[in-house]
Amino acid sequence: MTTESTYQAASTVAGIIEAHFIKHLEAAKEEGTDNLATIPSARIVEKIIDVAFWASLRREEGNATRMSLAFVDPAQAGKPLLFEQPLPLNPQVLTKLAPGVERAGVHVGIWHDGDELYIWGTTIKLPNYCFVLDVSEPGLLVVKHRRVLGLGKFTNVAMLKGDQVKVVDETSGMNTCSPGLLKSLLGLETSTLWSNPENVLIQIAVSMRAHKRGGILLVVPDNSSSWRESIVQPLQYPVSPAFAGVADLVRQDSSSVSEIYWQNALRREVENISGLTAVDGATIINRHHELLAFGAKITRAGNSSPVEKVLMMEPVMGGSPSYVHPSSIGGTRHLSAAQFVHDQHDAIALVASQDGYFTIFSWSPTKQMVQAHRVDILLL
């Protein structure tokens, strides 16, 4: 690690990332959490990011390099796949390995021998708060860490895209008006239950973004029909009785099935719901994740006024809230979602854009207006 990094953003963000892991790992240690990962030094972070960035720009047989790198001692990796001889950590080696390790859940293990980093094999098991670097697409890297107990999506720490660097601001979700989904994505509210409603909603959001067709998901209160006042009637694709594929899994006794079974079953049901968000119009579920309708056209409620502005925020360091017209966030889809929440204060709206942006619309009781949180950096 004596060679200076040639990707400038790596050195810019390395110290911030080291401080993040020091904070969380020391706090977890004080709380008695076991199986904790090793703190990655700024120099190690910088080197891994630098190598991964240049590897991301290479192709193997015409395919882009996509993989997940984890800084982890093989002794903490469960039953890892170990190479007979360690491999050097450089762009050429990563590019060659990429086709065999690009599937979700597989991590390339990186460790150090003195000042040298090397690749020791692969693993599907990581310790708590393990440093992970996801090579998502050419020039796009996402720093993450595994949540305690490994439940749900990994928590994102920073995103690097070319010369653009965004570091997640964890304090941005501490406002009492922040939606639960945002707090869960930031790791401020975590649950050890597989079936936690916010954890499930995160999986739906990730799947919505993944189909890249754009869409709106409206989450409305249970046992209430007031949301119909903001939807053009009759519904184009009503569902009766409400489809409870996801809801039935959430209600299932977690002790009666294995974690792997439940996660696989949830993935299938989530894709069933999120796929419908690609249909023109909004998909509507209640807070128990029961599907009520899809392809619904949003309209302004009869006794409501047009939404003129929303409070726009992004949970990144250096970001500042701003008041904007909702159509400026992403067009008519975002305007419709903002209008729905403006009329239905107990609902939230999740909006995925075709270009990858993702926004949560919710009502702020203190500001008495619609707030929009752009969270695509947390869903990568």
Side-chain angles (χ1 to χ4, degrees), residues 245-263:
V246 172
D248 287 344
L249 276 174
V250 171
R251 287 190 286 260
Q252 189 170 355
D253 181 6
S254 60
S255 64
S256 64
V257 296
S258 70
E259 180 180 353
I260 292 177
Y261 167 83
W262 192 90
Q263 289 179 340

Side-chain angles (χ1 to χ4, degrees), residues 12-164:
T12 301
V13 78
I16 298 173
I17 293 173
E18 179 190 29
H20 171 92
F21 280 91
I22 290 174
K23 170 188 171 183
H24 283 279
L25 283 163
E26 289 185 348
K29 186 176 180 180
E30 291 178 2
E31 293 171 0
T33 305
D34 57 5
N35 192 30
L36 292 175
T38 301
I39 295 173
S41 69
R43 194 71 182 107
I44 287 173
V45 170
E46 180 180 346
K47 181 63 176 180
I48 294 176
I49 290 176
D50 182 64
V51 173
F53 174 76
W54 296 114
S56 76
L57 303 182
R58 293 170 171 254
R59 290 181 174 269
E60 178 67 12
E61 296 182 346
N63 296 309
T65 299
R66 293 184 176 87
M67 62 201 318
S68 174
L69 309 177
F71 179 67
V72 56
D73 186 335
Q76 284 191 288
K79 295 181 179 179
L81 184 157
L82 295 170
F83 300 151
E84 183 177 7
Q85 297 294 330
L87 302 176
L89 179 64
N90 60 51
Q92 296 88 341
V93 172
L94 290 183
T95 304
K96 288 293 183 181
L97 278 178
V101 295
E102 64 181 9
R103 299 298 179 93
V106 178
H107 308 281
V108 175
I110 297 172
W111 196 235
H112 64 99
D113 181 8
D115 290 335
E116 293 300 321
L117 292 174
Y118 63 88
I119 300 169
W120 53 256
T122 67
T123 181
I124 59 174
K125 185 176 181 180
L126 298 173
N128 294 318
Y129 292 109
C130 181
F131 170 89
V132 172
L133 182 66
D134 188 67
V135 183
S136 301
E137 61 185 52
L140 175 60
L141 310 178
V142 184
V143 178
K144 310 179 177 186
H145 68 67
R146 178 186 183 272
R147 297 175 186 237
V148 174
L149 300 180
L151 295 172
K153 182 189 177 298
F154 281 26
T155 299
N156 290 8
V157 179
M159 180 205 73
L160 301 92
K161 188 173 185 179
D163 60 355
Q164 180 184 19

Side-chain angles (χ1 to χ4, degrees), residues 224-339:
S224 173
S225 59
S226 63
W227 56 268
R228 293 178 179 271
E229 299 172 5
S230 299
I231 299 295
V232 174
Q233 302 295 330
L235 288 163
Q236 189 165 5
Y237 301 109
V239 177
S240 182
F243 179 67
V246 172
D248 287 344
L249 276 174
V250 171
R251 287 190 286 260
Q252 189 170 355
D253 181 6
S254 60
S255 64
S256 64
V257 296
S258 70
E259 180 180 353
I260 292 177
Y261 167 83
W262 192 90
Q263 289 179 340
N264 288 336
L266 177 64
R267 186 178 300 109
R268 291 193 297 269
E269 295 296 348
V270 161
E271 289 177 352
N272 198 10
I273 297 297
S274 62
L276 296 175
T277 64
V279 176
D280 186 37
T283 298
I284 306 171
I285 64 174
N286 61 26
R287 297 200 183 276
H288 280 105
H289 310 104
E290 295 172 327
L291 177 65
L292 307 177
F294 65 96
K297 306 299 182 183
I298 298 173
T299 186
R300 179 159 59 93
N303 61 349
S304 177
S305 59
V307 59
E308 297 293 341
K309 63 180 179 180
V310 301
L311 182 60
M312 180 69 188
M313 294 167 279
E314 188 176 15
V316 297
M317 291 185 178
S320 57
S322 60
Y323 295 96
V324 300
H325 192 275
S327 64
S328 67
I329 301 175
T332 56
R333 183 180 284 135
H334 295 75
L335 176 59
S336 296
Q339 184 67 54

